[in-house]
Structure formats: structure tokens, C-alpha cells
Amino acid sequence: MLNRCLALGLLLSTFALAGECRAQQRPPNILFLFSDDLTCQAISAYGDKRQLLNTPNMDRIGHEGMRFDRCLVTNSICGPSRATILTGKYSHLNGFYNNSNSRFDSSQQTFPKLLQGAGYSTAVIGKWHLMSDPTGFDYWHILPGQGIYYNPPMNDQGKPVKHSGYTTDVITDLSLEWLKNRDKSKPFLLMSQHKAPHREWAPAVRHLGWDQDRQYPEPETLFDDYHGRSKAVSDHDMGLDRTFTDLDAKFRPSPNMTPEQLKAWNTYYEPRNEAFQKAKPTGKDLVRWRYNRYMHDYLACVKAVDENIGRMLDYLDSEGLAENTIVVCSSDQGFFLGEHGWFDKRWIFEESLRTPLLVRWPAVIKPGGVSSSIVSLVDFAETFLDVAGVPIPADMQGHSLLPLFKGQTPADWRKSLYYHYYEFPVPHRVRPHYGVITDRYKLIHYYKPDVDDWELLDRQADPLEVKNFYSDPAYAETVKELHAELDRLRKEVKETDAPPRAAYGNQSFEGEQLPGAKKD
Ligand code: CA
């Protein structure tokens, strides 16, 4: 390739072609723009019918590149998704099961380490949330734990530092600073990872009242009664009707604001909170009030993320880096925006199972691509290594998306995915469950500690996922096939034994029961 490029370059004497050849020779830069709890319903590129928010910068990545409509997570919660991205392995192999007591074994193989070894300059800035310090990065500058929304304390490679401003802006400032001062002789991997829009969904001061007190269209399942469903589905602690705290409702301000920030905050929230106290809504009216408050706050957080993604894209443009930089915009899982009456994540249901994935790489991906193939966070490490030309270790469990980027989905691409969520009972009392997901169906087993229920969801017959078809005779053959597929997948991903007790967090269970037994 080098000789051909040089020969052609000399022959044609065009700077343009020489530039293109150089771009082909050098592995691409990787800009990973990651958010926490960012869901497809809040990104306009995904076309949610509620039209909740306009996100021009995220949309730009999708329009100029590729939108993945079915990027699924393997364990819908923060830390475990991050560990899966780094390792290309499921929770039971990378050892990070939950946010309660898991700690990332940072001595294990990760894709940043492999890229660093292959000559990349590597950095992670923002939310990390894996308990142990980052490894495999030339530079790291992270929030402690969950981090906070205003004036965040951070950890600059072991040194505590304090920053001023709104955390989403701060993380972008630090990311741009690193990009400007990076070792330009190497390709880069920058993981710029936002805390937003994680609970308690605290907006930037500039976005308070951004929606002009809009009354948001409600999801059809805002008042889901969970009829005919497992107790695991109805007995939760993540409902707008029961779980909304004063911090969620903004009856208390977000912590650590300056007097000026607090003044602006109170100017917006206080009169609206007073109106709430006067009206004293109850029942469905209370749920509706909370839903609208939640949407104002959550979407404002996403709006700030989108603006900051715009700043990053502008930088690539201004430096001439856009062509050979792969930009990946994604999240650690999806999130419920009132569907089933919920906020939060954890479930195998579509809103929290599916996570956004928008990828732009002009050198390889044609604009306007859309993929409906089942892809997953477990594919990210393999993909980053593949695009960099670094061999993919055999013990990684996902598949490179590079063929999909080129519009060449392999004929044997996966038709199903294995899922397992563990953390129970705190927070949110979502019972451990595992299952198999296909384009159309989900077979789910809720197995701990006081349930042993199977559910079959049929997204074609029931897109809202409110019905259980498991015992419907018309689905008997489908149930049988999905049980066989689930058994096959559990062997393939190597989770054939009961998880260790610590997988569920620090709680003990009564009625302990091993997962995996088919209910007859
Ligand atoms: Ca998360």
C-alpha cells in the first residue's frame, strides 16, 4: 500500500491523494463519547414518537455515519457495562457484577491496555465508577464514584483536584485540553465519559426552564398495572408513584453549588415547588407532576451532553481530524422515561436493554447508515482493536463491528444474545433475572430470592412488553426453541454454574435457589 500510494502520489502530484494515503496508513484515532444512563428515547436521531428533545450534535454523528438500532447491553447497570466494554467479556468472566460490592480487577486484559501497547496514546476523562484506579491509560482524570453535577472534585491520576462549573462542561474542557496537548506522533484513544444524565438529573443553570414548562406526552405504559406478570415485575422500588425522593423532585437543591448557581436554581424551582405544595396532587396527578418534573430535568442534562458533544466534533473539524477519527457515541445502558411507570434501568425490557450507538468514521462508514443487527457493548473492545489493526484476543466474547461499518454484515452474525442482571435488593428491588433475546422474543427467568417465574415477551405482538405469553399454548413450540437457545448461549458464554453469592451485592437471600433449572 505504501509503495502504491507513493507511486500514485508522485504520478499525480496531488496533495489530496497523498493525504488520503497517509490517512489509510495510520490507524484511526478513537473518540469514545460515553454518557451514563443516556437512552435512545432522548436522542432525536432515534425518532421517539414523543419527540422529547432535539439533539443535533448526536444526530450529526448518526447522520454522517451509522445508527445502530439494536445495541443491547448484557447486564443493564453502570459499572458492569463499563467492565464489559473494557474487557469484551460478560460480568461473570470480568468479575464485575454489580454496583454494590464489585471492584474491577485492573490487572486483567483490557482494550485500552492493548491499544496502548500497540502505540496509541490513551486517556480516560470523566466518570469511571469501577472502584479501582484506571490502568492502560497514559492519562486519567476521573470523578470519584458517581461524581456530582456541580463544581466536581476529581482525581487527577491520584491527585485530588477541585473544578468549578457544571460537570458535563468540565469533563469536555478537560477532554479538549488533553486533545490539544496530546502526543501528536501517535493515534489517540480518548474516552470522554459523562456523569450526566444519571440520577438526580441536575440541569446546568443555563438550561433551567429550557422547555418553557412543556407538558410532555406520556408513554403508553405510564400507568402499567403489571397484570398477568411476575411478582418480580410488579414488586419493584423504581416507580414514579413510590420511589421519587426530594432530591429527584428538586425539593432539595443539588449539592455543592456556588451561591450564584444556587440563586439561579432557586429562582427556577421555588415558585414551581410552591405551586406543587399548594395543589397537593395525589394519585395519577402526582405521577404526572413527577413525570413532567423528571422530563424537564433529565432532558436538560442530555441537552448539555449534546452541546458538549458538539464542542468535541467542532474540535475534530478545526484540526482536520474528522476523516480518520472514529467517533462512537454511546451509553452504559438505556433508561426508562416513564415507561411501565419507571425511571432507572436494570431490566431486560427494551428501554433499558437497548443503548444508543452512533458511530462516525468518514474514512470507512458511508453516511446515513442504519443497522438493525443485534450488537452489544460486549462487542466494543473487539471493534476498537479491529479498527486499530490490533489482533483480538481469543478470550474476548464479542465480535468486531468493523464488517457492519462497511455495510457487510456477516451471514452468521448473532441472532440472539444472552443477558443476566444480578444486583438485589438495593437499590430498586429489581430481582435477578437472565434470559435470551432475539429480534422478536425474550425468554426471561426471574429466579431469586422469592420468585421462580418464566416470562415470554413477543415484541411483534406486544411492542410495549406488557404481556407474558409463556403459558399460552400457541407459543409452546417457541418456548421450547428459546429454552434450547438459552441453554446453548449459557454454554457459549460460559455461565453454566450458579453465580457466587457476592454477585448479588452485600445482601443475603432467603429461599436460596440456584438459577438455570427449567421450570416444568
Ligand atoms: Ca448507568
Side-chain angles (χ1 to χ4, degrees), residues 482-512:
L482 288 171
H483 271 295
E485 181 62 4
L486 178 58
D487 291 345
R488 187 192 72 77
L489 280 174
R490 296 196 85 182
K491 288 192 189 86
E492 183 179 286
V493 305
K494 302 183 172 66
E495 190 176 41
T496 48
D497 297 327
R501 183 173 284 250
Y504 304 102
N506 290 318
Q507 310 296 315
S508 62
F509 292 95
E510 291 182 11
E512 185 83 13

PDB file of all heavy atoms in Angstrom, residues 482-512:
ATOM      1  N   LEU A 482     -36.730 -21.499  22.427  1.00  0.00           N
ATOM      2  CA  LEU A 482     -35.975 -20.471  23.163  1.00  0.00           C
ATOM      3  C   LEU A 482     -35.271 -21.057  24.382  1.00  0.00           C
ATOM      4  O   LEU A 482     -34.175 -20.611  24.738  1.00  0.00           O
ATOM      5  CB  LEU A 482     -36.897 -19.317  23.566  1.00  0.00           C
ATOM      6  CG  LEU A 482     -37.335 -18.428  22.392  1.00  0.00           C
ATOM      7  CD1 LEU A 482     -38.426 -17.456  22.835  1.00  0.00           C
ATOM      8  CD2 LEU A 482     -36.156 -17.638  21.817  1.00  0.00           C
ATOM      9  N   HIS A 483     -35.887 -22.047  25.024  1.00  0.00           N
ATOM     10  CA  HIS A 483     -35.183 -22.734  26.116  1.00  0.00           C
ATOM     11  C   HIS A 483     -33.904 -23.379  25.593  1.00  0.00           C
ATOM     12  O   HIS A 483     -32.849 -23.300  26.226  1.00  0.00           O
ATOM     13  CB  HIS A 483     -36.084 -23.799  26.758  1.00  0.00           C
ATOM     14  CG  HIS A 483     -36.911 -23.267  27.890  1.00  0.00           C
ATOM     15  ND1 HIS A 483     -36.355 -22.807  29.061  1.00  0.00           N
ATOM     16  CD2 HIS A 483     -38.251 -23.131  28.024  1.00  0.00           C
ATOM     17  CE1 HIS A 483     -37.324 -22.400  29.874  1.00  0.00           C
ATOM     18  NE2 HIS A 483     -38.484 -22.572  29.269  1.00  0.00           N
ATOM     19  N   ALA A 484     -34.007 -24.011  24.441  1.00  0.00           N
ATOM     20  CA  ALA A 484     -32.818 -24.660  23.859  1.00  0.00           C
ATOM     21  C   ALA A 484     -31.754 -23.609  23.520  1.00  0.00           C
ATOM     22  O   ALA A 484     -30.557 -23.814  23.747  1.00  0.00           O
ATOM     23  CB  ALA A 484     -33.220 -25.448  22.614  1.00  0.00           C
ATOM     24  N   GLU A 485     -32.196 -22.477  22.978  1.00  0.00           N
ATOM     25  CA  GLU A 485     -31.254 -21.415  22.622  1.00  0.00           C
ATOM     26  C   GLU A 485     -30.610 -20.816  23.871  1.00  0.00           C
ATOM     27  O   GLU A 485     -29.410 -20.510  23.889  1.00  0.00           O
ATOM     28  CB  GLU A 485     -31.979 -20.328  21.806  1.00  0.00           C
ATOM     29  CG  GLU A 485     -31.111 -19.174  21.352  1.00  0.00           C
ATOM     30  CD  GLU A 485     -29.981 -19.585  20.409  1.00  0.00           C
ATOM     31  OE1 GLU A 485     -29.892 -20.763  20.021  1.00  0.00           O
ATOM     32  OE2 GLU A 485     -29.150 -18.705  20.087  1.00  0.00           O
ATOM     33  N   LEU A 486     -31.406 -20.670  24.914  1.00  0.00           N
ATOM     34  CA  LEU A 486     -30.864 -20.150  26.174  1.00  0.00           C
ATOM     35  C   LEU A 486     -29.795 -21.095  26.726  1.00  0.00           C
ATOM     36  O   LEU A 486     -28.714 -20.647  27.148  1.00  0.00           O
ATOM     37  CB  LEU A 486     -32.004 -19.971  27.191  1.00  0.00           C
ATOM     38  CG  LEU A 486     -31.617 -19.482  28.588  1.00  0.00           C
ATOM     39  CD1 LEU A 486     -30.892 -18.141  28.533  1.00  0.00           C
ATOM     40  CD2 LEU A 486     -32.872 -19.359  29.464  1.00  0.00           C
ATOM     41  N   ASP A 487     -30.103 -22.388  26.714  1.00  0.00           N
ATOM     42  CA  ASP A 487     -29.114 -23.373  27.193  1.00  0.00           C
ATOM     43  C   ASP A 487     -27.829 -23.293  26.361  1.00  0.00           C
ATOM     44  O   ASP A 487     -26.720 -23.341  26.887  1.00  0.00           O
ATOM     45  CB  ASP A 487     -29.692 -24.791  27.109  1.00  0.00           C
ATOM     46  CG  ASP A 487     -30.810 -25.020  28.113  1.00  0.00           C
ATOM     47  OD1 ASP A 487     -30.939 -24.200  29.043  1.00  0.00           O
ATOM     48  OD2 ASP A 487     -31.564 -26.000  27.961  1.00  0.00           O
ATOM     49  N   ARG A 488     -28.004 -23.162  25.054  1.00  0.00           N
ATOM     50  CA  ARG A 488     -26.839 -23.088  24.174  1.00  0.00           C
ATOM     51  C   ARG A 488     -26.002 -21.839  24.479  1.00  0.00           C
ATOM     52  O   ARG A 488     -24.775 -21.905  24.589  1.00  0.00           O
ATOM     53  CB  ARG A 488     -27.299 -23.047  22.709  1.00  0.00           C
ATOM     54  CG  ARG A 488     -26.163 -23.129  21.700  1.00  0.00           C
ATOM     55  CD  ARG A 488     -26.606 -22.798  20.274  1.00  0.00           C
ATOM     56  NE  ARG A 488     -26.901 -21.389  20.069  1.00  0.00           N
ATOM     57  CZ  ARG A 488     -25.978 -20.443  19.915  1.00  0.00           C
ATOM     58  NH1 ARG A 488     -24.695 -20.749  19.949  1.00  0.00           N
ATOM     59  NH2 ARG A 488     -26.312 -19.171  19.739  1.00  0.00           N
ATOM     60  N   LEU A 489     -26.699 -20.714  24.645  1.00  0.00           N
ATOM     61  CA  LEU A 489     -25.983 -19.457  24.903  1.00  0.00           C
ATOM     62  C   LEU A 489     -25.251 -19.480  26.239  1.00  0.00           C
ATOM     63  O   LEU A 489     -24.148 -18.956  26.369  1.00  0.00           O
ATOM     64  CB  LEU A 489     -26.967 -18.280  24.883  1.00  0.00           C
ATOM     65  CG  LEU A 489     -27.380 -17.760  23.513  1.00  0.00           C
ATOM     66  CD1 LEU A 489     -28.460 -16.694  23.670  1.00  0.00           C
ATOM     67  CD2 LEU A 489     -26.187 -17.180  22.757  1.00  0.00           C
ATOM     68  N   ARG A 490     -25.892 -20.085  27.241  1.00  0.00           N
ATOM     69  CA  ARG A 490     -25.233 -20.119  28.562  1.00  0.00           C
ATOM     70  C   ARG A 490     -23.935 -20.920  28.484  1.00  0.00           C
ATOM     71  O   ARG A 490     -22.963 -20.581  29.143  1.00  0.00           O
ATOM     72  CB  ARG A 490     -26.165 -20.708  29.622  1.00  0.00           C
ATOM     73  CG  ARG A 490     -27.401 -19.840  29.834  1.00  0.00           C
ATOM     74  CD  ARG A 490     -28.110 -20.191  31.117  1.00  0.00           C
ATOM     75  NE  ARG A 490     -27.501 -19.459  32.226  1.00  0.00           N
ATOM     76  CZ  ARG A 490     -27.868 -19.583  33.488  1.00  0.00           C
ATOM     77  NH1 ARG A 490     -28.811 -20.431  33.815  1.00  0.00           N
ATOM     78  NH2 ARG A 490     -27.288 -18.877  34.425  1.00  0.00           N
ATOM     79  N   LYS A 491     -23.937 -21.952  27.681  1.00  0.00           N
ATOM     80  CA  LYS A 491     -22.688 -22.708  27.481  1.00  0.00           C
ATOM     81  C   LYS A 491     -21.688 -21.861  26.690  1.00  0.00           C
ATOM     82  O   LYS A 491     -20.510 -21.802  27.021  1.00  0.00           O
ATOM     83  CB  LYS A 491     -22.979 -24.015  26.731  1.00  0.00           C
ATOM     84  CG  LYS A 491     -23.712 -25.056  27.569  1.00  0.00           C
ATOM     85  CD  LYS A 491     -23.693 -26.420  26.875  1.00  0.00           C
ATOM     86  CE  LYS A 491     -24.611 -27.396  27.584  1.00  0.00           C
ATOM     87  NZ  LYS A 491     -26.025 -27.318  27.119  1.00  0.00           N
ATOM     88  N   GLU A 492     -22.192 -21.214  25.658  1.00  0.00           N
ATOM     89  CA  GLU A 492     -21.292 -20.427  24.799  1.00  0.00           C
ATOM     90  C   GLU A 492     -20.605 -19.305  25.585  1.00  0.00           C
ATOM     91  O   GLU A 492     -19.409 -19.058  25.410  1.00  0.00           O
ATOM     92  CB  GLU A 492     -22.096 -19.822  23.637  1.00  0.00           C
ATOM     93  CG  GLU A 492     -21.252 -19.037  22.650  1.00  0.00           C
ATOM     94  CD  GLU A 492     -22.099 -18.475  21.509  1.00  0.00           C
ATOM     95  OE1 GLU A 492     -22.509 -19.268  20.644  1.00  0.00           O
ATOM     96  OE2 GLU A 492     -22.365 -17.262  21.507  1.00  0.00           O
ATOM     97  N   VAL A 493     -21.352 -18.627  26.454  1.00  0.00           N
ATOM     98  CA  VAL A 493     -20.738 -17.520  27.211  1.00  0.00           C
ATOM     99  C   VAL A 493     -20.110 -18.010  28.511  1.00  0.00           C
ATOM    100  O   VAL A 493     -19.587 -17.222  29.293  1.00  0.00           O
ATOM    101  CB  VAL A 493     -21.733 -16.373  27.497  1.00  0.00           C
ATOM    102  CG1 VAL A 493     -22.371 -15.872  26.214  1.00  0.00           C
ATOM    103  CG2 VAL A 493     -22.794 -16.790  28.509  1.00  0.00           C
ATOM    104  N   LYS A 494     -20.214 -19.317  28.750  1.00  0.00           N
ATOM    105  CA  LYS A 494     -19.554 -19.940  29.909  1.00  0.00           C
ATOM    106  C   LYS A 494     -20.170 -19.503  31.242  1.00  0.00           C
ATOM    107  O   LYS A 494     -19.463 -19.222  32.204  1.00  0.00           O
ATOM    108  CB  LYS A 494     -18.053 -19.653  29.905  1.00  0.00           C
ATOM    109  CG  LYS A 494     -17.343 -20.138  28.643  1.00  0.00           C
ATOM    110  CD  LYS A 494     -15.839 -19.877  28.759  1.00  0.00           C
ATOM    111  CE  LYS A 494     -15.059 -20.500  27.618  1.00  0.00           C
ATOM    112  NZ  LYS A 494     -15.342 -19.925  26.307  1.00  0.00           N
ATOM    113  N   GLU A 495     -21.497 -19.412  31.280  1.00  0.00           N
ATOM    114  CA  GLU A 495     -22.132 -19.202  32.586  1.00  0.00           C
ATOM    115  C   GLU A 495     -23.092 -20.371  32.840  1.00  0.00           C
ATOM    116  O   GLU A 495     -24.317 -20.254  32.691  1.00  0.00           O
ATOM    117  CB  GLU A 495     -22.888 -17.884  32.698  1.00  0.00           C
ATOM    118  CG  GLU A 495     -23.308 -17.644  34.167  1.00  0.00           C
ATOM    119  CD  GLU A 495     -23.981 -16.305  34.436  1.00  0.00           C
ATOM    120  OE1 GLU A 495     -24.797 -15.864  33.621  1.00  0.00           O
ATOM    121  OE2 GLU A 495     -23.675 -15.721  35.494  1.00  0.00           O
ATOM    122  N   THR A 496     -22.522 -21.482  33.208  1.00  0.00           N
ATOM    123  CA  THR A 496     -23.335 -22.682  33.412  1.00  0.00           C
ATOM    124  C   THR A 496     -23.515 -22.981  34.893  1.00  0.00           C
ATOM    125  O   THR A 496     -24.355 -23.790  35.267  1.00  0.00           O
ATOM    126  CB  THR A 496     -22.686 -23.893  32.723  1.00  0.00           C
ATOM    127  OG1 THR A 496     -21.311 -23.935  33.080  1.00  0.00           O
ATOM    128  CG2 THR A 496     -22.800 -23.782  31.211  1.00  0.00           C
ATOM    129  N   ASP A 497     -22.738 -22.322  35.755  1.00  0.00           N
ATOM    130  CA  ASP A 497     -22.868 -22.548  37.190  1.00  0.00           C
ATOM    131  C   ASP A 497     -23.573 -21.375  37.852  1.00  0.00           C
ATOM    132  O   ASP A 497     -23.672 -20.293  37.275  1.00  0.00           O
ATOM    133  CB  ASP A 497     -21.485 -22.711  37.840  1.00  0.00           C
ATOM    134  CG  ASP A 497     -20.766 -23.934  37.292  1.00  0.00           C
ATOM    135  OD1 ASP A 497     -21.453 -24.929  36.972  1.00  0.00           O
ATOM    136  OD2 ASP A 497     -19.530 -23.878  37.170  1.00  0.00           O
ATOM    137  N   ALA A 498     -24.038 -21.589  39.089  1.00  0.00           N
ATOM    138  CA  ALA A 498     -24.648 -20.504  39.845  1.00  0.00           C
ATOM    139  C   ALA A 498     -23.608 -19.419  40.106  1.00  0.00           C
ATOM    140  O   ALA A 498     -22.454 -19.719  40.397  1.00  0.00           O
ATOM    141  CB  ALA A 498     -25.171 -21.043  41.166  1.00  0.00           C
ATOM    142  N   PRO A 499     -24.003 -18.160  39.997  1.00  0.00           N
ATOM    143  CA  PRO A 499     -23.068 -17.076  40.316  1.00  0.00           C
ATOM    144  C   PRO A 499     -22.681 -17.126  41.791  1.00  0.00           C
ATOM    145  O   PRO A 499     -23.430 -17.647  42.613  1.00  0.00           O
ATOM    146  CB  PRO A 499     -23.884 -15.811  40.026  1.00  0.00           C
ATOM    147  CG  PRO A 499     -25.006 -16.254  39.143  1.00  0.00           C
ATOM    148  CD  PRO A 499     -25.306 -17.656  39.542  1.00  0.00           C
ATOM    149  N   PRO A 500     -21.520 -16.587  42.146  1.00  0.00           N
ATOM    150  CA  PRO A 500     -21.175 -16.507  43.567  1.00  0.00           C
ATOM    151  C   PRO A 500     -22.158 -15.592  44.288  1.00  0.00           C
ATOM    152  O   PRO A 500     -22.735 -14.693  43.669  1.00  0.00           O
ATOM    153  CB  PRO A 500     -19.769 -15.898  43.550  1.00  0.00           C
ATOM    154  CG  PRO A 500     -19.674 -15.178  42.252  1.00  0.00           C
ATOM    155  CD  PRO A 500     -20.527 -15.946  41.286  1.00  0.00           C
ATOM    156  N   ARG A 501     -22.335 -15.830  45.571  1.00  0.00           N
ATOM    157  CA  ARG A 501     -23.289 -15.024  46.332  1.00  0.00           C
ATOM    158  C   ARG A 501     -22.987 -13.530  46.211  1.00  0.00           C
ATOM    159  O   ARG A 501     -23.884 -12.699  46.137  1.00  0.00           O
ATOM    160  CB  ARG A 501     -23.248 -15.462  47.799  1.00  0.00           C
ATOM    161  CG  ARG A 501     -24.229 -14.766  48.694  1.00  0.00           C
ATOM    162  CD  ARG A 501     -24.227 -15.382  50.075  1.00  0.00           C
ATOM    163  NE  ARG A 501     -24.930 -16.652  50.084  1.00  0.00           N
ATOM    164  CZ  ARG A 501     -26.101 -16.836  50.687  1.00  0.00           C
ATOM    165  NH1 ARG A 501     -26.684 -15.837  51.294  1.00  0.00           N
ATOM    166  NH2 ARG A 501     -26.693 -18.014  50.657  1.00  0.00           N
ATOM    167  N   ALA A 502     -21.699 -13.186  46.159  1.00  0.00           N
ATOM    168  CA  ALA A 502     -21.305 -11.771  46.085  1.00  0.00           C
ATOM    169  C   ALA A 502     -21.791 -11.105  44.799  1.00  0.00           C
ATOM    170  O   ALA A 502     -21.827  -9.875  44.711  1.00  0.00           O
ATOM    171  CB  ALA A 502     -19.793 -11.645  46.176  1.00  0.00           C
ATOM    172  N   ALA A 503     -22.174 -11.900  43.802  1.00  0.00           N
ATOM    173  CA  ALA A 503     -22.643 -11.310  42.539  1.00  0.00           C
ATOM    174  C   ALA A 503     -23.867 -10.421  42.759  1.00  0.00           C
ATOM    175  O   ALA A 503     -24.095  -9.476  42.018  1.00  0.00           O
ATOM    176  CB  ALA A 503     -22.989 -12.414  41.541  1.00  0.00           C
ATOM    177  N   TYR A 504     -24.636 -10.729  43.804  1.00  0.00           N
ATOM    178  CA  TYR A 504     -25.904 -10.020  44.009  1.00  0.00           C
ATOM    179  C   TYR A 504     -25.751  -8.769  44.863  1.00  0.00           C
ATOM    180  O   TYR A 504     -26.714  -8.055  45.083  1.00  0.00           O
ATOM    181  CB  TYR A 504     -26.920 -10.984  44.629  1.00  0.00           C
ATOM    182  CG  TYR A 504     -27.082 -12.223  43.779  1.00  0.00           C
ATOM    183  CD1 TYR A 504     -26.471 -13.417  44.130  1.00  0.00           C
ATOM    184  CD2 TYR A 504     -27.800 -12.161  42.595  1.00  0.00           C
ATOM    185  CE1 TYR A 504     -26.584 -14.536  43.321  1.00  0.00           C
ATOM    186  CE2 TYR A 504     -27.920 -13.278  41.770  1.00  0.00           C
ATOM    187  CZ  TYR A 504     -27.302 -14.468  42.146  1.00  0.00           C
ATOM    188  OH  TYR A 504     -27.410 -15.563  41.336  1.00  0.00           O
ATOM    189  N   GLY A 505     -24.542  -8.554  45.397  1.00  0.00           N
ATOM    190  CA  GLY A 505     -24.325  -7.414  46.281  1.00  0.00           C
ATOM    191  C   GLY A 505     -24.097  -7.912  47.691  1.00  0.00           C
ATOM    192  O   GLY A 505     -23.763  -9.082  47.907  1.00  0.00           O
ATOM    193  N   ASN A 506     -24.289  -7.021  48.631  1.00  0.00           N
ATOM    194  CA  ASN A 506     -23.954  -7.369  50.014  1.00  0.00           C
ATOM    195  C   ASN A 506     -25.104  -8.013  50.764  1.00  0.00           C
ATOM    196  O   ASN A 506     -25.007  -8.256  51.969  1.00  0.00           O
ATOM    197  CB  ASN A 506     -23.509  -6.120  50.764  1.00  0.00           C
ATOM    198  CG  ASN A 506     -22.157  -5.635  50.263  1.00  0.00           C
ATOM    199  OD1 ASN A 506     -21.260  -6.434  50.034  1.00  0.00           O
ATOM    200  ND2 ASN A 506     -22.029  -4.340  50.059  1.00  0.00           N
ATOM    201  N   GLN A 507     -26.197  -8.274  50.105  1.00  0.00           N
ATOM    202  CA  GLN A 507     -27.366  -8.776  50.804  1.00  0.00           C
ATOM    203  C   GLN A 507     -27.354 -10.297  50.859  1.00  0.00           C
ATOM    204  O   GLN A 507     -26.755 -10.972  50.046  1.00  0.00           O
ATOM    205  CB  GLN A 507     -28.639  -8.324  50.082  1.00  0.00           C
ATOM    206  CG  GLN A 507     -28.668  -6.865  49.787  1.00  0.00           C
ATOM    207  CD  GLN A 507     -28.670  -6.024  51.049  1.00  0.00           C
ATOM    208  OE1 GLN A 507     -29.404  -6.336  51.972  1.00  0.00           O
ATOM    209  NE2 GLN A 507     -27.854  -4.999  51.098  1.00  0.00           N
ATOM    210  N   SER A 508     -28.033 -10.830  51.866  1.00  0.00           N
ATOM    211  CA  SER A 508     -28.217 -12.280  51.900  1.00  0.00           C
ATOM    212  C   SER A 508     -29.642 -12.595  51.466  1.00  0.00           C
ATOM    213  O   SER A 508     -30.538 -11.772  51.580  1.00  0.00           O
ATOM    214  CB  SER A 508     -27.965 -12.816  53.305  1.00  0.00           C
ATOM    215  OG  SER A 508     -28.893 -12.264  54.203  1.00  0.00           O
ATOM    216  N   PHE A 509     -29.817 -13.786  50.962  1.00  0.00           N
ATOM    217  CA  PHE A 509     -31.122 -14.179  50.456  1.00  0.00           C
ATOM    218  C   PHE A 509     -31.754 -15.227  51.351  1.00  0.00           C
ATOM    219  O   PHE A 509     -31.071 -16.048  51.934  1.00  0.00           O
ATOM    220  CB  PHE A 509     -30.981 -14.796  49.059  1.00  0.00           C
ATOM    221  CG  PHE A 509     -30.577 -13.817  48.029  1.00  0.00           C
ATOM    222  CD1 PHE A 509     -29.246 -13.662  47.693  1.00  0.00           C
ATOM    223  CD2 PHE A 509     -31.513 -13.052  47.386  1.00  0.00           C
ATOM    224  CE1 PHE A 509     -28.860 -12.756  46.729  1.00  0.00           C
ATOM    225  CE2 PHE A 509     -31.140 -12.149  46.416  1.00  0.00           C
ATOM    226  CZ  PHE A 509     -29.813 -12.004  46.095  1.00  0.00           C
ATOM    227  N   GLU A 510     -33.050 -15.196  51.385  1.00  0.00           N
ATOM    228  CA  GLU A 510     -33.774 -16.319  51.969  1.00  0.00           C
ATOM    229  C   GLU A 510     -34.331 -17.132  50.808  1.00  0.00           C
ATOM    230  O   GLU A 510     -34.586 -16.610  49.735  1.00  0.00           O
ATOM    231  CB  GLU A 510     -34.903 -15.808  52.859  1.00  0.00           C
ATOM    232  CG  GLU A 510     -34.362 -15.143  54.108  1.00  0.00           C
ATOM    233  CD  GLU A 510     -35.472 -14.680  55.019  1.00  0.00           C
ATOM    234  OE1 GLU A 510     -36.632 -15.060  54.786  1.00  0.00           O
ATOM    235  OE2 GLU A 510     -35.162 -13.942  55.956  1.00  0.00           O
ATOM    236  N   GLY A 511     -34.533 -18.408  51.044  1.00  0.00           N
ATOM    237  CA  GLY A 511     -35.057 -19.248  49.976  1.00  0.00           C
ATOM    238  C   GLY A 511     -34.074 -19.366  48.822  1.00  0.00           C
ATOM    239  O   GLY A 511     -34.454 -19.340  47.659  1.00  0.00           O
ATOM    240  N   GLU A 512     -32.798 -19.467  49.160  1.00  0.00           N
ATOM    241  CA  GLU A 512     -31.744 -19.539  48.140  1.00  0.00           C
ATOM    242  C   GLU A 512     -32.021 -20.656  47.136  1.00  0.00           C
ATOM    243  O   GLU A 512     -32.392 -21.756  47.486  1.00  0.00           O
ATOM    244  CB  GLU A 512     -30.399 -19.784  48.827  1.00  0.00           C
ATOM    245  CG  GLU A 512     -29.210 -19.763  47.898  1.00  0.00           C
ATOM    246  CD  GLU A 512     -28.714 -18.362  47.630  1.00  0.00           C
ATOM    247  OE1 GLU A 512     -29.143 -17.435  48.354  1.00  0.00           O
ATOM    248  OE2 GLU A 512     -27.936 -18.179  46.707  1.00  0.00           O
TER     249      GLU A 512
END
